[in-house]
């Protein structure tokens, strides 16, 4: 999903991730997402690519993102993160 301007969206906070989740790429740049980065993202152990750039996420970057051992590409630029 990309280039979804015009409205402010929030990612759901109640996504259930289990050991069988095989998601490798999550590309959500330029979508006017607001709020914090949801905690379920750090549970995606197979994630290799995470691009949340050019949104309006705010708050702290979850420390557990550093524990994603499969990550090869991470882009969080142009947000309001600390």
């Amino acid at each position: 999903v990309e280039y979804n301007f015009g409205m402010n969206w929030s990612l759901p906070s109640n996504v259930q991730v289990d050991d069988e989740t095989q998601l490798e790429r999550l590309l959500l740049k330029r979508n006017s997402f607001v709020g914090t980065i949801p905690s379920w993202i750090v549970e995606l152990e197979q994630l290799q690519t995470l691009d949340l750039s050019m949104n309006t996420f705010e708050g702290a970057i979850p420390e557990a993102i550093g524990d994603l051992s499969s990550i090869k590409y991470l882009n969080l630029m142009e947000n309001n993160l600390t």
Side-chain angles (χ1 to χ4, degrees), residues 1-57:
V1 179
E2 188 175 350
Y3 302 109
N4 194 8
F5 293 120
M7 296 186 70
N8 290 329
W9 305 92
S10 294
L11 288 177
S13 60
N14 60 347
V15 172
Q16 293 187 2
V17 177
D18 61 26
D19 293 338
E20 295 185 22
T21 302
Q22 299 293 313
L23 187 66
E24 293 180 355
R25 296 176 59 185
L26 184 58
L27 307 170
L28 298 174
K29 68 180 181 179
R30 290 187 178 166
N31 279 287
S32 300
F33 285 118
V34 298
T36 59
I37 296 175
S39 60
W40 55 264
I41 286 180
V42 301
E43 297 174 26
L44 298 169
E45 295 177 0
Q46 302 299 317
L47 199 61
Q48 295 177 17
T49 302
L50 176 59
D51 191 340
L52 301 177
S53 64
M54 300 180 210
N55 286 289
T56 314
F57 287 112

